[in-house]
Amino acid sequence: MPGATDIKPTKPLKNPCNLCQSVRAILKRPKTGQQLCKECFFHVFETEIHNTIVDNKLFNKGDRVAIGASGGKDSTVLAYVMKLLNDRYSYELDLVLLSIDEGITGYRDDSLETVKRNRDQYQIPLLIVSYKDLYGWSMDDIVKEIGRKNNCTFCGVFRRQALDRGAIMLNVDHIVTGHNADDIAETVLMNILRGDLPRLQRCTSIITNDTSEDSSGIETSKILRSKPFKYTYEKEIVMYAYFKKLDYFSTECIYSPNAYRGHARVFLKDLEAVRRTAIVDIIHSGEALSASVQANESTKLPTMANCTRCGYISSNELCKACLLLEGLNKGLPQLGIGHTTKIRRMHEASNLASGLSSPASLSSAVADGSAGEKVKVVTHIKDLGQLETMPTLDSMK
Amino acid sequence: MNQSDATLRIELQFSGGMELLFDNQKTIHAKVPASFPLDTSVEDRHAATIRDLISWTASNLLKERPELFIGTDGSVRSGILVLVNGADWELEGELEYELEDRDEIVFISTLHGG
């Protein structure tokens, strides 16, 4: 071989990339344990998400898709990758950014600046929808009213509806969110720990379609929601953003330290330290449990109606958001949270006192509580007609 | 010069919210001791490792809330990623990696909303 003896022996490459063998590895993948260089990592990361999108048939060509964008790590990477894949693989999607302003000073106002930068950097149009405009209450207002407990419940219900309303304003077919594998594993754990079977049944679905209903009684009419990052590890999302130098906002919501999810997250991280595959294993278990819950639950499909207050689609007379707002506006912040009979009675009493007749379904909507049980518990007999339909000992033989 | 006086120039970088624990500084140029005493005998010393760096950082640089930085067994809290000279610390021996002069160590927190 010409010149072979002139070649100085070089140091063997330290930690060569498992895939290309030619460059130093910079990441050990949690998923596979492989060590990859920057370019191979980018390629694998992007291609796996593309495969997730294609295998699960998330989109149709020409769909108008809103990317739920908070300015945080997941949604920033999601916006970047959606745009990249849309261009690379010609999905022909019409992409928009949709951001929700919950009205949390010192948290959301800063992260929204990040979303605006993303809009400019990625050249994707942006719509911001605020709780204050939609509901008359910002999260700052709500926390002042109800304190630091249960505020995540309010925020979650309001955000869900706000995203749908924003999507309707934007006339989109589909909303994508940045929920990652770690998030989904946490949710599975939380739902098991809380015995929330309806949520457990739904939480591992990568796409929720228009015939599904969540426990807040809101049906998302014809707007699909999906999670392209369902199998993407949080660590990889952060590393991708770091190596690609993507600009994101990173602070914990100031109202969240007591949230239940925080405990599940710590537990999950500790489990992961002991057993590397914990996350994907829990998701796998969650999917199996989902099938099991679905098979066992004898649920009848609720009839769809419109919320009597705001017109939003709901299976109860009041949608969950209106129920929570009712509680806030009447100074009964526990309304719609849990199964507090005392609060319900106070609410009924205040309605009677002000001459309002309480819709019959209100007490049962409240009895459903935030766990969203489908069984309607009849706690107040309103009229004799109800007595006739109640089961008797004979009928239960 | 006493061997225990030798220091290493280590560039520490903080992101993902970690900087909040360090007075909002994203970069700190630290002079870290090159060796640390062994647990068993104060006379003998071993070369500084990342494990030492973590406890040294907590003692000397951390402004508040050490429990948000240090986790179990002297490692970083779960959910904090560590990079050594631009590479995942899992490829470099994690806590046992021995520091060298002019190393760049990055701490990235993942513990926040997305």
Side-chain angles (χ1 to χ4, degrees):
Chain A
M1 216 161 58
T5 49
D6 297 334
I7 297 171
K8 271 198 264 188
T10 50
K11 258 182 9 192
L13 185 61
K14 186 181 178 197
N15 286 335
C17 170
N18 285 155
L19 286 184
C20 71
Q21 310 290 345
S22 52
V23 186
R24 178 181 165 234
I26 46 83
L27 168 79
K28 187 167 178 192
R29 292 197 80 190
K31 225 186 240 197
T32 57
Q34 281 177 312
Q35 40 193 63
L36 300 181
C37 70
K38 205 192 290 191
E39 294 304 321
C40 288
F41 166 54
F42 291 161
H43 182 72
V44 170
F45 181 85
E46 293 156 8
T47 307
E48 281 179 7
I49 293 164
H50 167 66
N51 291 339
T52 300
I53 289 172
V54 169
D55 292 345
N56 291 281
K57 300 187 178 51
L58 297 186
F59 309 118
N60 299 310
K61 280 204 182 217
D63 272 355
R64 201 162 143 75
V65 177
I67 302 169
S70 63
K73 57 184 177 16
D74 302 309
S75 52
T76 296
V77 174
L78 180 64
Y80 180 89
V81 171
M82 284 296 294
K83 182 171 164 70
L84 186 149
L85 295 178
N86 194 32
D87 292 343
R88 181 181 293 170
Y89 294 103
S90 304
Y91 295 161
E92 285 166 38
L93 303 175
D94 187 9
L95 297 175
V96 290
L97 291 171
L98 174 56
S99 221
I100 308 299
D101 181 3
E102 302 98 336
I104 302 176
T105 318
Y107 173 68
R108 189 52 78 206
D109 44 3
D110 290 338
S111 74
L112 284 177
E113 289 309 309
T114 309
V115 188
K116 289 178 191 162
R117 280 200 296 277
N118 290 159
R119 169 199 60 199
D120 300 332
Q121 287 158 348
Y122 308 152
Q123 296 284 295
I124 304 178
L126 164 68
L127 172 68
I128 301 176
V129 172
S130 83
Y131 282 7
K132 193 75 183 182
D133 290 340
L134 275 184
Y135 308 117
W137 289 78
S138 69
M139 276 313 293
D140 286 344
D141 298 333
I142 292 174
V143 174
K144 271 200 210 91
E145 177 76 13
I146 69 168
R148 297 283 182 125
K149 214 173 172 202
N150 291 324
N151 32 358
C152 293
T153 299
F154 279 82
C155 198
V157 171
F158 287 167
R159 184 181 303 108
R160 175 169 280 272
Q161 201 185 93
L163 272 174
D164 286 331
R165 288 189 181 278
I168 289 168
M169 283 183 228
L170 287 169
N171 196 27
V172 299
D173 307 298
H174 208 120
I175 302 172
V176 290
T177 53
H179 293 91
N180 59 49
D182 299 56
D183 293 329
I184 293 178
E186 280 163 26
T187 306
V188 171
L189 278 179
M190 278 168 67
N191 291 331
I192 290 174
L193 291 170
R194 297 198 295 202
D196 193 334
L197 297 185
R199 280 205 175 96
L200 183 63
Q201 194 260 304
R202 286 186 301 267
C203 69
T204 44
S205 302
I206 192 172
I207 185 167
T208 49
N209 60 26
D210 56 352
T211 58
S212 78
E213 179 209 310
D214 72 8
S215 62
S216 59
I218 296 173
E219 191 199 61
T220 58
S221 60
K222 299 179 193 68
I223 299 178
L224 304 177
R225 271 188 198 229
S226 62
K227 305 171 178 121
F229 285 172
K230 180 185 171 189
Y231 300 107
T232 312
Y233 278 59
E234 187 172 61
K235 171 182 173 180
E236 298 198 355
I237 291 173
V238 174
M239 295 294 252
Y240 186 85
Y242 179 79
F243 288 118
K244 283 261 180 184
K245 300 188 180 9
L246 300 181
D247 173 25
Y248 66 87
F249 180 75
S250 52
T251 307
E252 249 190 297
C253 176
I254 54 183
Y255 296 137
S256 76
N258 299 324
Y260 197 80
R261 181 174 287 272
H263 298 294
R265 177 176 302 159
V266 170
F267 183 46
L268 184 64
K269 284 275 158 258
D270 291 340
L271 285 175
E272 204 189 359
V274 177
R275 188 187 154 93
R276 194 173 48 82
T277 54
I279 287 173
V280 71
D281 291 342
I282 290 172
I283 295 178
H284 191 62
S285 297
E287 287 165 339
L289 284 169
S290 166
S292 178
V293 169
Q294 197 164 12
N296 281 330
E297 244 194 339
S298 52
T299 52
K300 51 182 176 90
L301 280 176
T303 41
M304 288 303 123
N306 289 90
C307 173
T308 51
R309 282 287 160 81
C310 69
Y312 205 71
I313 287 185
S314 169
S315 61
N316 301 315
E317 269 194 51
L318 280 190
C319 70
K320 184 75 169 194
C322 282
L323 188 60
L324 291 176
L325 280 171
E326 168 103 347
L328 281 174
N329 291 324
K330 294 228 157 113
L332 288 173
Q334 289 302 310
L335 195 65
I337 312 259
H339 304 269
T340 46
T341 43
K342 182 176 154 199
I343 302 296
R344 250 186 292 119
R345 281 202 210 103
M346 283 167 63
H347 183 244
E348 301 269 317
S350 87
N351 274 346
L352 283 172
S354 51
L356 292 168
S357 66
S358 188
S361 64
L362 181 59
S363 51
S364 48
V366 174
D368 282 344
S370 51
E373 289 132 18
K374 302 272 190 331
V375 177
K376 290 225 187 302
V377 175
V378 180
T379 51
H380 299 302
I381 307 292
K382 292 273 180 318
D383 54 62
L384 294 173
Q386 278 180 294
L387 282 173
E388 280 166 78
T389 56
M390 290 196 76
T392 61
L393 279 176
D394 289 332
S395 67
M396 292 199 285
K397 280 210 195 103
Chain B
M1 183 168 78
N2 190 334
Q3 200 196 6
S4 62
D5 287 344
T7 58
L8 301 168
R9 288 163 292 188
I10 305 289
E11 184 176 309
L12 298 169
Q13 287 177 21
F14 303 105
S15 86
M18 285 255 62
E19 62 273 24
L20 294 172
L21 297 178
F22 296 91
D23 246 352
N24 255 322
Q25 296 173 90
K26 290 210 157 197
T27 306
I28 297 180
H29 290 97
K31 287 209 169 52
V32 181
S35 61
F36 282 77
L38 289 175
D39 289 335
T40 45
S41 114
V42 182
E43 300 299 313
D44 298 324
R45 303 175 72 86
H46 64 249
T49 60
I50 292 201
R51 186 194 297 275
D52 299 316
L53 177 66
I54 291 168
S55 63
W56 183 90
T57 302
S59 312
N60 293 280
L61 298 176
L62 201 59
K63 300 297 173 194
E64 55 179 311
R65 317 211 41 204
E67 73 278 8
L68 293 183
F69 180 62
I70 301 212
T72 51
D73 293 335
S75 182
V76 283
R77 184 180 172 210
S78 296
I80 296 179
L81 304 179
V82 186
L83 295 177
V84 176
N85 298 321
D88 192 348
W89 75 333
E90 288 187 46
L91 297 173
E92 301 285 355
E94 290 190 46
L95 290 169
E96 309 311 326
Y97 170 80
E98 281 181 8
L99 296 171
E100 292 173 24
D101 195 42
R102 301 224 195 241
D103 271 349
E104 220 179 70
I105 313 290
V106 185
F107 294 99
I108 311 177
S109 172
T110 66
L111 301 161
H112 49 79

